[in-house]
């Protein structure tokens, strides 16, 4: 199936050509020439008016259905994650609480931590497996962002957002806050370490 991006570009291009054509053609074809009198005037063409109301509604409805389907696919979470991590964003840091396992990061909290160097909180994920993230924020809006994963999700106070991460490459990646949240926003960093499943199990055991 064509991607949503292609569908939107094709539909938008067709509409652009039709609209520009309807503007440019009359400009040239019926431009005013010397000696022209006022041409005949028309109004209230109901079939035409109904058509230009219904057709855009159908187009928007179709794009809505396509978008809804894509969002359902993107937001789908597995029933059987390899691990579940509650991620909390706060000014200005992160905690990673592994369900039935360790909590990482977030030693200090609030304005008192301003300017104080903290150890970088670390999110450890098993490669080739799916980890459920339950994201929350405990003060203001933040954003969970891993640029290398092309993944970003808002962290909103009073709301838990669940999504899956399934890293495909071993390595260490940078995590950031993507929503400006105060003076130390730029330092609200975390590290993502993707390890083999056996190393992940050993890491979890060592932490508990
Ligand atoms: Cu933030």
């Amino acid at each position: 199936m064509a991607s949503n991006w292609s569908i939107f570009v094709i539909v938008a291009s067709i509409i652009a050509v039709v609209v520009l054509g309807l503007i440019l053609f009359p400009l040239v074809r019926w431009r005013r020439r010397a000696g022209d009198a006022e041409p005949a005037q028309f109004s209230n063409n109901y079939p035409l008016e109904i058509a230009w109301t219904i057709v855009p509604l159908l187009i928007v409805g179709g794009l809505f259905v396509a978008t809804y389907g894509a969002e359902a696919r993107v937001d789908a979470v597995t029933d059987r994650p390899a691990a579940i991590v509650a991620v909390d964003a706060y000014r200005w840091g992160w905690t990673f609480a592994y369900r039935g396992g360790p909590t990482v990061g977030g030693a200090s909290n609030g304005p008192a931590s301003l300017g104080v160097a903290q150890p970088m909180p670390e999110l450890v994920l098993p490669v080739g497996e799916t980890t459920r993230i339950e994201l929350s924020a405990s003060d203001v809006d933040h954003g969970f962002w891993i640029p290398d994963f092309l993944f970003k999700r808002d962290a909103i106070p009073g709301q838990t957002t669940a999504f899956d991460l399934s890293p495909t490459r071993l390595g260490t990646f940078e995590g950031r806050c993507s929503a400006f949240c105060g003076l130390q926003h730029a330092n609200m960093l975390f590290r993502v370490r993707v390890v083999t499943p056996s190393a992940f199990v050993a890491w979890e055991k060592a932490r508990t």
Side-chain angles (χ1 to χ4, degrees):
M1 201 184 101
S3 71
N4 253 17
W5 187 85
S6 311
I7 294 171
F8 270 72
V9 168
I10 291 166
V11 171
S13 302
I14 293 170
I15 291 171
V17 167
V18 168
V19 169
L20 284 172
L22 287 174
I23 292 171
L24 294 176
F25 177 74
L27 273 180
V28 175
R29 173 67 182 77
W30 291 293
R31 70 188 184 280
R32 186 171 184 172
R33 294 183 176 88
D36 274 356
E38 189 188 23
Q41 303 293 306
F42 303 93
S43 70
N44 295 32
N45 186 328
Y46 290 120
L48 202 54
E49 290 182 12
I50 289 169
W52 75 47
T53 303
I54 300 285
V55 170
L57 284 176
L58 290 176
I59 295 170
V60 170
L63 293 177
F64 176 85
V65 170
T67 304
Y68 191 87
E71 284 198 343
R73 281 198 306 281
V74 170
D75 290 341
V77 290
T78 175
D79 295 337
R80 306 172 140 271
I84 301 177
V85 190
V87 175
D88 188 57
Y90 62 89
R91 286 182 295 179
W92 287 276
W94 305 86
T95 55
F96 301 113
Y98 285 74
R99 173 92 41 101
T103 298
V104 186
S108 59
N109 199 347
S113 68
L114 202 156
V116 177
Q118 294 178 46
M120 178 92 70
E122 190 177 61
L123 177 64
V124 180
L125 300 173
V127 72
E129 297 196 13
T130 300
T131 301
R132 165 87 41 82
I133 305 292
E134 293 172 350
L135 180 65
S136 61
S138 51
D139 39 41
V140 299
D141 287 4
H142 297 278
F144 176 93
W145 183 23
I146 308 173
D148 281 329
F149 288 12
L150 299 179
F151 189 93
K152 189 194 284 179
R153 197 58 63 91
D154 285 343
I156 308 291
Q159 180 181 315
T160 301
T161 305
F163 55 86
D164 286 345
L165 290 179
S166 308
T168 54
R169 274 188 298 146
L170 291 170
T172 302
F173 307 92
E174 185 189 64
R176 305 186 144 268
C177 176
S178 64
F180 181 70
C181 57
L183 287 178
Q184 293 297 312
H185 162 70
N187 295 325
M188 192 171 155
L189 306 172
F190 60 97
R191 193 185 303 122
V192 183
R193 193 156 56 89
V194 179
V195 300
T196 62
S198 56
F200 179 77
V201 171
W203 174 82
E204 267 199 313
K205 274 220 183 77
R207 303 285 310 210
T208 45

